[in-house]
Structures are given as structure tokens and as C-alpha cells.
């Protein structure tokens, strides 16, 4: 029986991979993050057979991250995969199911190994205004066919008002609507077959533009950017333009094609970026962004130098738990989480390429002692629609570790109404304390919180920093009261559970640890015995021997 201190030294999962369905011929990665105070070792197996690295199966790991990647997937790769992480004081296991869609079954499955999000290359822009019609266009990249819904001032447009075509590996959206004159908010919600969602938004004046002014750079590229080989690098420029524009990136005066390795992104509000995914030394050079409209053009350039990474990577901060994507309605609240090690890192958040300043009434940031960081967005609006970045640095360190996620903002279609203004406001706070639980596999877990606050707080339940979306979990929330129930809990659902409450005036967090235990593991290997000349047992290796069983034809008692 392990002591309490020994159990604290056993490895713990911070995140585990999810079940996946992959089209035959594609690639898949299973990645998990582990915390262990002592050295640990790990083993991957499929249906009980240890996975051996090959030209298709690649195993990579660091002190905190374990990854299994399979390329050119076939039907024979279907099955249950398990990772076992162990040290001298215990072990943990996690299981994942891989299903491979063969032939026609794969028509709705993305072959993108990383299930990359939809990437907006050009936000919706007004291209022309006639006497009766207004025309807007936007451009994006996606790994699969994408469905879309377009809203004009909250009203969904008919399909005959939207044209959706593919041009040079990019999807193009063209919106034609009868001119209503005045200011119109457009919102285009895109969803890929792999479930990835993003939005394209624009606030457009439907009046005719009298002055065709050239674009202006309001935030130039820095003169010099130094980074390391193999680490994602962003180049960012901000522009102002009152008409539709196009842009292109060049290196040493040669056009860089928009592709997986060099990603063009239009974050909105004039913020344009080039993301270099896996830079090499040869990618160093002079980078330039040229923006062109009917009124003229402008450019910004910088020198980028990539150096060999020798010892820098050893001291880089690590993001153990990546923030999760969200789809939120206008006026709602969102909580983004990231788990960082070491816990005393410096952390900054960006929305659509802009750094969020602290003490902003619409944003709150909190940090737990264990390195769990929370980013709260109150009263979500269209300016928040796009990429959210979590940037982590260590003091006196030159490198930054970055995680990305997407926030998609859509019109408030549920007819929710904001609470009326009141002089009596109350930051949310809890009225009870959650206790730690130790439960057995297959039983029911019930966590309950009582809280107060005005306006009525939003409640989000999380495990290890991620919203709980398990199929065997249910959440019931009433004013001032929320209950999380998990039926038939399993070992993968162990961890730190937390309830987050938030309104426009504050937030509060309460957590508890849940340990899921099961029956002891069966003995490894077959029992072995040694008999003397009379057939009596001399040694026994196996389960406790009760002295009353028949072995090899000899009665041992």
C-alpha cells in the first residue's frame, strides 16, 4: 500500500489525447502532458501490444510531453491505444480509440493531421457599392469543405445572396445584399467538417466612398527580429485603409506563397501577420509586406535572423495545457485557460494580434500558484473574434513559448437580454467549499457549488483547465446553484476539478481534487511454483496462496 507521500510523487496527467477518426492515408498524433517530480518512463501500446517505432510510427517525448505519431494511416491501425507513464512511486494510464475511415466512409473526414483551424487570409471588405447593391468579399484557407452562415445586423442572409467558390487553394466568399444605407455589421460563421469554427466580421458603411485614400502603416515591422531555428515566428504589421486592399509578403524580394509553412493571416482591424511555422537558418533574410488598394500602396520591412538553438530550448517555459477554442454569443463571457511550467513565468495575452493591457474593464487575468492561468473576457463583441495567443516568457530569457486558440463570436440568436442597469452590483463569490473526493471506477461523482453575484454569474466547470465535455457528464445550473454529475466515472477522469463563476464585475474560482481508484491490477505473467519430492509447495510466485488448490495433479494440502 502506497503512503500518501508516495502517491504525491506518482506521475499525474495534465492533459490526455482524445479519440479520433482519421481518413485512410492521413496522419494522426496522440499527445499528452505529464507532471512528475521524479524521472519517469513511458510505454505506448495498441490493443495490449507494445508500439515499436518504424518509418510510419514515431515516438517523441520530453520531460513533460509524450507523443505518438502515425503517418499513412491504414485500417490496420484502428484500435485502442494506451500510454502508461510510471516512476518508482506509481503509474498512470490513458486510453484512446483510433478509427480509420476507409473508402467512401472518409468523404467527411479531414486528412489534415493536425486538424488545423480555419485561417482567414482576408477579412470581409467592401468592394463596391451600387445604387441598389453592396458587394463584400473575404478569403480563407481550410483543410476541408466548409459550411457557412452569414448574418447582417443579426439577420441570417439567404443562400442566393452568398457566393462560395475556391480560387487557387483558397475559399472566397462574396456577399451581395440590397443597400440599406448606413452602418451594417456583417458576421460570417465558418465551420469545417472536422468541427473547427471561426468567424469573419466587418462593420461596413454602405454609403459610397468619396475619397479613395492610400493605405497607411500605423505599426511597422521591427527593424530586426532574432529567433531560433525550429521555433514559430510571427511578423506583424498594422495598417489603416478606408477601401478594400490586398497584401503580399516577400523574402529577399521574392514572393512568399501562402502555405502551411508560411501562413498569411488577416486578424482584422488592419492587423496582418506572416507566421513562419518551422524556420530554418536559410529562412533568414529581409522580409517585406506590401499592401495595395485602389488608392495606392505602402510597405514595411525588417531583417529576420534565425540562429541555431543550442541550449536555449532547455530553459524554455512549457505550456502543459493549451487553451481551448470557443464559440460565444455577443454579450456573453468567456474563460480561456493555460497551464504553464515553471509556475512563475511571465504571461501575456493577445487578441487578434493586439496585446491585452491589464486592468482593462472587459478583461481579467488570474494566476494560480500551480501555474494555471485564466483569461476572462466579459461582454464579448465582434472585435474579439479571431485568434487568441498566450505568450509565456521567463525573466531575463530571450525566447517566448506561444499557444494559439480561436474565439468565434456570433450574433445573439437565443434572444437573451442583458440584465437591466442597477446601482446594486456584486462581484461573484462562493457560499460553500468543495471537498476532495476519492471514488471507485464506475461510480457516480457529484460536485456542487453555491454562489452569489449580480448580474447573475456565468458558471463553467473544468477539469485540468479545460471545459468538461465528457459524454457521461451533465451540468445543471440554476441561479446561485450549479451541479456537475459524472455517471460511471473512469480513471481518465481523475484530476483537478474547478468551478469558475464570472460576471461583468469580477470572478471567483474554487477547485477540488478527484481521485478515481479501481481494483488492484492482475498479476503480471503466469504463476510459478517449485515442488519437493512429496509434491508439496516449496516456493510460490503469484497471487496469495490459500493452501487449498490442486497444482499439476498434486494435492498440496
Amino acid at each position: 500500500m502506497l503512503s500518501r507521500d508516495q502517491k504525491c510523487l506518482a506521475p499525474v496527467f495534465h492533459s490526455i489525447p482524445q479519440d479520433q477518426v482519421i481518413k485512410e492515408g492521413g496522419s494522426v498524433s496522440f499527445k499528452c502532458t505529464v507532471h512528475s517530480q521524479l524521472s519517469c518512463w513511458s510505454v505506448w501500446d495498441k490493443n495490449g501490444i507494445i508500439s515499436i517505432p518504424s518509418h510510419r510510427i514515431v515516438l517523441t517525448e520530453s520531460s513533460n510531453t509524450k507523443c505518438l505519431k502515425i503517418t499513412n494511416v491504414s485500417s490496420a491501425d484502428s484500435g485502442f491505444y494506451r500510454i502508461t507513464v510510471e516512476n518508482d512511486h506509481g503509474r498512470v494510464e490513458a486510453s484512446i480509440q483510433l478509427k480509420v475511415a476507409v473508402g467512401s466512409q472518409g468523404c467527411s473526414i479531414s486528412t489534415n493531421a493536425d486538424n488545423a483551424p480555419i485561417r482567414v487570409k482576408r477579412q470581409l471588405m467592401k468592394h463596391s457599392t451600387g445604387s441598389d447593391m453592396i458587394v463584400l468579399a473575404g478569403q480563407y484557407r481550410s483543410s476541408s469543405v466548409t459550411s457557412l452562415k452569414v448574418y447582417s445586423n443579426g439577420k441570417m442572409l439567404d443562400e442566393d445572396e452568398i457566393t462560395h467558390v475556391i480560387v487557387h487553394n483558397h475559399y472566397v466568399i462574396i456577399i451581395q445584399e440590397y443597400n440599406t444605407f448606413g452602418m451594417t455589421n456583417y458576421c460570417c460563421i465558418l465551420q469545417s467538417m472536422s468541427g473547427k469554427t471561426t468567424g469573419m466580421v466587418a462593420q461596413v458603411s454602405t454609403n459610397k466612398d468619396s475619397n479613395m485614400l492610400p493605405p497607411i502603416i500605423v505599426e511597422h515591422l521591427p527593424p530586426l527580429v532574432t529567433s531560433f531555428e525550429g521555433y514559430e515566428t510571427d511578423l506583424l504589421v498594422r495598417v489603416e485603409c478606408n477601401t478594400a486592399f490586398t497584401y503580399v509578403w516577400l523574402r529577399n524580394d521574392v514572393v512568399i506563397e501562402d502555405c502551411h509553412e508560411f501562413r498569411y493571416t488577416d486578424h482584422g482591424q488592419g492587423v496582418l501577420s506572416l507566421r513562419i511555422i518551422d524556420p530554418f537558418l536559410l529562412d533568414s533574410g529581409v522580409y517585406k509586406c506590401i499592401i495595395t488598394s485602389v488608392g495606392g500602396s505602402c510597405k514595411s520591412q525588417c531583417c529576420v535572423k534565425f540562429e541555431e538553438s543550442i541550449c536555449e530550448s532547455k530553459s524554455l517555459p512549457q505550456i502543459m495545457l493549451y487553451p481551448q477554442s470557443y464559440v460565444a454569443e455577443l454579450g456573453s463571457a468567456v474563460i480561456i485557460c493555460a497551464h504553464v511550467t515553471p509556475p512563475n513565468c511571465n504571461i501575456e495575452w493577445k487578441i487578434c494580434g493586439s496585446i491585452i493591457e491589464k486592468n482593462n474593464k472587459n478583461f481579467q487575468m488570474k494566476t494560480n500558484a500551480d501555474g494555471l492561468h485564466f483569461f476572462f473576457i466579459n461582454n464579448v463583441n465582434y472585435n474579439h473574434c479571431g485568434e487568441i495567443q498566450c505568450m509565456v516568457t521567463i525573466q531575463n530569457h530571450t525566447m517566448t513559448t506561444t499557444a494559439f486558440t480561436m474565439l468565434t463570436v456570433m450574433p445573439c440568436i437565443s434572444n437573451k437580454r442583458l440584465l437591466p442597469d442597477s446601482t446594486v452590483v456584486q462581484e461573484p463569490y462562493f457560499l460553500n467549499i468543495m471537498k476532495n473526493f476519492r471514488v471507485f471506477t464506475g461510480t457516480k461523482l457529484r460536485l456542487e457549488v453555491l454562489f452569489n453575484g449580480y448580474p447573475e454569474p456565468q458558471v463553467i466547470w473544468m477539469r485540468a483547465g479545460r471545459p468538461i465535455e465528457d459524454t457521461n457528464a451533465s451540468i445543471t445550473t440554476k441561479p446561485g446553484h450549479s451541479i456537475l454529475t459524472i455517471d460511471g466515472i473512469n480513471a481518465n477522469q481523475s484530476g483537478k476539478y474547478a468551478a469558475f463563476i464570472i460576471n461583468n464585475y469580477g470572478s471567483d474560482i474554487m477547485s477540488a481534487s478527484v481521485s478515481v481508484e479501481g481494483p488492484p491490477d492482475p498479476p503480471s505473467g503466469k504463476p510459478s511454483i517449485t515442488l519437493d519430492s512429496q509434491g508439496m509447495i516449496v516456493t510460490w510466485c503469484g497471487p496469495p496462496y490459500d493452501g487449498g488448490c490442486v497444482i499439476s495433479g498434486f494435492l498440496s494440502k
Side-chain angles (χ1 to χ4, degrees):
M1 189 77 175
L2 292 175
S3 68
R4 178 174 295 182
D5 291 340
Q6 287 176 314
K7 287 186 176 181
C8 292
L9 294 174
V12 176
F13 282 120
H14 278 304
S15 66
I16 58 176
Q18 303 296 316
D19 296 344
Q20 294 198 41
V21 180
I22 297 295
K23 185 177 179 180
E24 189 176 31
S27 300
V28 64
S29 293
F30 295 127
K31 183 178 180 180
C32 64
T33 54
V34 183
H35 173 71
S36 177
Q37 299 183 33
L38 304 174
S39 297
C40 60
W41 52 95
S42 61
V43 175
W44 289 88
D45 69 74
K46 175 199 165 192
N47 298 333
I49 301 175
I50 294 177
S51 299
I52 305 297
S54 66
H55 68 285
R56 288 195 317 113
I57 300 175
V58 179
L59 305 179
T60 58
E61 64 175 68
S62 65
S63 57
N64 302 111
T65 305
K66 319 294 177 184
C67 182
L68 167 67
K69 183 174 183 178
I70 307 173
T71 58
N72 194 21
V73 170
S74 68
S75 58
D77 294 314
S78 296
F80 287 90
Y81 289 78
R82 178 177 59 178
I83 180 171
T84 303
V85 183
E86 188 172 2
N87 64 18
D88 293 333
H89 294 280
R91 71 175 184 178
V92 288
E93 297 179 353
S95 298
I96 319 100
Q97 185 178 15
L98 172 63
K99 294 181 179 179
V100 179
V102 182
S104 60
Q105 299 177 13
C107 60
S108 63
I109 306 297
S110 171
T111 59
N112 185 359
D114 301 319
N115 285 321
I118 302 167
R119 178 162 48 87
V120 177
K121 184 180 180 183
R122 289 182 67 236
Q123 291 284 350
L124 291 174
M125 299 181 190
K126 182 177 66 174
H127 281 255
S128 65
T129 302
S131 57
D132 297 323
M133 302 293 292
I134 179 172
V135 179
L136 299 96
Q139 194 175 22
Y140 70 95
R141 287 185 72 104
S142 176
S143 59
S144 64
V145 177
T146 304
S147 62
L148 76 155
K149 296 178 181 178
V150 180
Y151 298 87
S152 172
N153 284 340
K155 179 184 177 182
M156 186 184 298
L157 299 182
D158 295 332
E159 292 184 1
D160 57 3
E161 297 175 287
I162 306 165
T163 303
H164 196 198
V165 296
I166 300 178
V167 179
H168 301 306
N169 298 321
H170 289 79
Y171 289 86
V172 177
I173 302 168
I174 301 174
I175 302 170
Q176 300 181 74
E177 187 186 21
Y178 283 104
N179 198 342
T180 56
F181 298 100
M183 193 66 70
T184 303
N185 288 311
Y186 288 91
C187 175
C188 176
I189 305 299
L190 306 162
Q191 184 172 33
S192 67
M193 288 185 173
S194 60
K196 301 296 181 181
T197 305
T198 194
M200 303 169 68
V201 297
Q203 188 177 57
V204 176
S205 172
T206 53
N207 298 323
K208 270 197 171 184
D209 296 314
S210 56
N211 297 319
M212 300 295 184
L213 301 176
I216 301 173
I217 302 287
V218 294
E219 184 178 328
H220 279 274
L221 295 167
L224 175 64
V225 175
T226 302
S227 186
F228 287 87
E229 190 178 31
Y231 289 95
E232 285 186 8
T233 302
D234 270 2
L235 304 179
L236 185 143
V237 65
R238 190 186 301 270
V239 63
E240 283 185 358
C241 189
N242 69 340
T243 58
F245 62 84
T246 60
Y247 67 102
V248 65
W249 289 89
L250 301 91
R251 183 183 66 227
N252 300 330
D253 292 326
V254 178
V255 172
I256 301 172
E257 296 295 335
D258 179 26
C259 59
H260 177 74
E261 291 78 15
F262 296 89
R263 300 181 181 179
Y264 286 42
T265 302
D266 182 352
H267 294 283
Q269 303 178 65
V271 180
L272 309 173
S273 73
L274 175 69
R275 179 163 299 156
I276 309 172
I277 299 301
D278 185 17
F280 294 92
L281 299 179
L282 294 176
D283 290 321
S284 299
V286 177
Y287 284 73
K288 186 185 302 180
C289 182
I290 300 177
I291 302 98
T292 305
S293 74
V294 294
S297 65
C298 61
K299 64 182 179 180
S300 182
Q301 69 179 38
C302 70
C303 181
V304 179
K305 183 180 180 181
F306 293 108
E307 299 177 348
E308 290 186 10
S309 54
I310 302 174
C311 59
E312 285 280 344
S313 60
K314 296 180 181 179
S315 56
L316 273 176
Q318 294 191 19
I319 299 177
M320 310 288 293
L321 178 66
Y322 276 58
Q324 186 170 359
S325 299
Y326 279 90
V327 178
E329 289 187 353
L330 279 171
S332 64
V334 169
I335 301 176
I336 310 291
C337 299
H339 195 176
V340 175
T341 184
N344 59 344
C345 292
N346 300 320
I347 190 166
E348 285 187 315
W349 295 88
K350 274 186 177 183
I351 293 184
C352 301
S354 300
I355 294 178
I356 301 302
E357 302 294 338
K358 294 182 179 179
N359 303 320
N360 187 309
K361 65 178 182 179
N362 283 332
F363 307 103
Q364 299 171 50
M365 304 171 199
K366 287 192 176 183
T367 302
N368 284 2
D370 60 358
L372 198 57
H373 293 259
F374 306 97
F375 179 41
F376 303 86
I377 307 176
N378 297 309
N379 194 21
V380 169
N381 60 58
Y382 284 137
N383 290 335
H384 304 146
C385 185
E387 184 180 76
I388 295 179
Q389 297 182 35
C390 173
M391 301 177 296
V392 185
T393 57
I394 298 177
Q395 191 172 8
N396 300 323
H397 199 287
T398 59
M399 290 295 294
T400 300
T401 302
T402 306
F404 308 92
T405 190
M406 295 298 297
L407 173 60
T408 303
V409 181
M410 63 185 302
C412 188
I413 57 178
S414 57
N415 293 322
K416 293 180 182 177
R417 295 295 182 187
L418 296 177
L419 292 171
D421 292 336
S422 173
T423 57
V424 181
V425 298
Q426 178 70 63
E427 290 188 14
Y429 60 93
F430 288 103
L431 301 173
N432 67 329
I433 297 176
M434 277 200 303
K435 297 181 179 180
N436 297 334
F437 277 89
R438 181 178 295 176
V439 297
F440 289 104
T441 301
T443 59
K444 178 184 290 188
L445 172 69
R446 187 176 187 270
L447 299 177
E448 180 178 10
V449 293
L450 303 175
F451 54 89
N452 200 355
Y454 186 85
E456 182 68 26
Q458 179 189 12
V459 185
I460 300 178
W461 287 91
M462 294 192 177
R463 180 178 61 243
R466 285 187 177 274
I468 295 174
E469 300 175 340
D470 304 339
T471 56
N472 61 337
S474 61
I475 298 172
T476 303
T477 299
K478 300 177 181 179
H481 187 200
S482 184
I483 299 174
L484 167 68
T485 304
I486 300 180
D487 292 312
I489 194 169
N490 58 62
N492 290 341
Q493 294 171 312
S494 295
K496 187 173 184 178
Y497 285 72
F500 305 91
I501 53 177
I502 182 172
N503 65 15
N504 292 342
Y505 297 95
S507 60
D508 201 1
I509 305 167
M510 184 164 58
S511 60
S513 294
V514 175
S515 174
V516 182
E517 300 180 352
D521 293 332
S524 58
K526 298 180 180 179
S528 62
I529 60 172
T530 303
L531 304 178
D532 61 14
S533 57
Q534 282 77 41
M536 300 297 292
I537 295 178
V538 178
T539 60
W540 167 265
C541 296
Y545 172 61
D546 64 6
C549 62
V550 177
I551 301 176
S552 300
F554 292 87
L555 183 63
S556 61
K557 183 176 179 181

